[in-house]
C-alpha cells in the first residue's frame, strides 16, 4: 500500500474524529445530524434541483418560501407529494411562506437552503445565521467585502 501525505492526513483525520465530539452527542438517542430539518427560501429554477436532492437525502423538508404564489405552492405540493408517497421518510404537511423571516423564526428548522436572486443572498444568510440556523447558499454569497465580513462575523458569533 502506497502511503502519501494526503492518504495519511485523511486517515489521521478519520481516526481522530470520534475523540473531537462531546460525549453527550455520542450518547444521545437521536444524534443532532441524524435528520436535519430544512426550510427552502426561493423556489425558482435553481431550487428545483436542490429540493429534489434534499428530499432524497436523510433530511426533513418542513417549509418553503417564495414571494411568487405559483412557485411557492408548486414546491409545497412537491414536498407533500414526496412524503405522501414515502411515509417512512417524513410526514406531509410542508408549510409555505411569503416572508422568509417567518420561516427563519421557526425553532424546528435546523438548516435553510437559499436559492433567491443573488442580491438577496447576504441579507437572508445573515438573518438565518443570527437566528442560529445552518445555511446552504450557492455563489455568489455576497457582493462586496462588507457583506462578506458581516457573514464571517455572524458565523463566528
Amino acid at each position: 500500500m502506497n502511503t502519501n501525505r494526503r492518504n495519511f492526513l485523511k486517515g489521521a483525520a478519520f481516526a481522530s474524529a470520534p475523540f473531537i465530539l462531546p460525549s453527550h452527542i455520542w450518547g444521545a438517542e437521536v444524534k443532532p445530524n441524524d435528520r436535519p430539518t430544512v426550510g427552502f427560501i426561493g423556489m425558482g429554477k435553481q431550487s428545483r434541483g436542490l429540493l429534489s436532492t434534499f428530499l432524497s437525502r436523510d433530511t426533513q423538508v418542513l417549509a418553503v418560501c417564495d414571494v411568487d404564489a405559483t412557485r411557492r405552492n408548486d414546491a409545497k405540493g412537491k414536498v407533500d407529494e414526496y412524503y405522501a408517497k414515502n411515509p417512512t421518510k417524513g410526514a406531509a404537511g410542508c408549510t409555505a411562506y411569503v416572508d422568509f423571516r417567518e420561516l427563519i423564526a421557526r425553532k424546528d428548522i435546523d438548516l435553510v437552503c437559499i436559492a433567491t436572486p443573488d442580491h438577496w443572498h447576504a441579507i437572508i444568510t445573515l438573518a438565518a445565521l443570527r437566528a442560529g440556523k445552518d445555511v446552504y447558499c450557492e455563489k455568489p454569497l455576497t457582493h462586496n467585502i462588507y457583506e462578506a465580513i458581516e457573514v464571517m462575523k455572524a458565523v463566528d458569533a
Side-chain angles (χ1 to χ4, degrees):
M1 182 170 155
N2 186 12
T3 301
N4 58 30
R5 183 176 60 159
R6 180 174 290 174
N7 289 337
F8 173 78
L9 290 174
K10 284 181 188 175
F14 180 77
S16 64
F19 303 108
I20 295 172
L21 298 175
S23 61
H24 73 274
I25 290 178
W26 288 108
E29 189 172 313
V30 177
K31 309 292 188 282
N33 292 326
D34 279 355
R35 189 150 177 82
T37 54
V38 184
F40 276 80
I41 302 172
M43 301 311 304
K45 187 184 338 179
Q46 183 65 24
S47 187
R48 288 183 210 130
L50 293 170
L51 182 59
S52 295
T53 300
F54 274 86
L55 284 171
S56 69
R57 304 282 190 236
D58 195 22
T59 60
Q60 170 76 40
V61 177
L62 297 180
V64 296
C65 176
D66 200 290
V67 294
D68 183 291
T70 303
R71 290 178 173 182
R72 181 176 61 246
N73 294 331
D74 182 57
K76 178 187 177 348
K78 183 175 182 177
V79 172
D80 287 340
E81 179 182 342
Y82 177 83
Y83 289 128
K85 289 181 181 178
N86 302 286
T88 60
K89 299 266 187 178
C94 177
T95 307
Y97 294 97
V98 175
D99 188 337
F100 74 87
R101 294 170 292 192
E102 293 178 58
L103 185 147
I104 288 172
R106 287 184 54 166
K107 301 292 184 205
D108 59 341
I109 292 180
D110 302 316
L111 162 72
V112 294
C113 178
I114 301 168
T116 58
D118 296 347
H119 63 278
W120 280 98
H121 287 182
I123 296 165
I124 298 170
T125 296
L126 285 168
L129 290 170
R130 290 174 179 151
K133 310 292 184 212
D134 291 323
V135 174
Y136 176 91
C137 185
E138 295 186 347
K139 65 182 183 179
L141 181 59
T142 65
H143 277 108
N144 55 54
I145 292 175
Y146 174 77
E147 288 177 350
I149 291 169
E150 290 303 308
V151 167
M152 288 188 293
K153 285 180 189 175
V155 167
D156 288 340

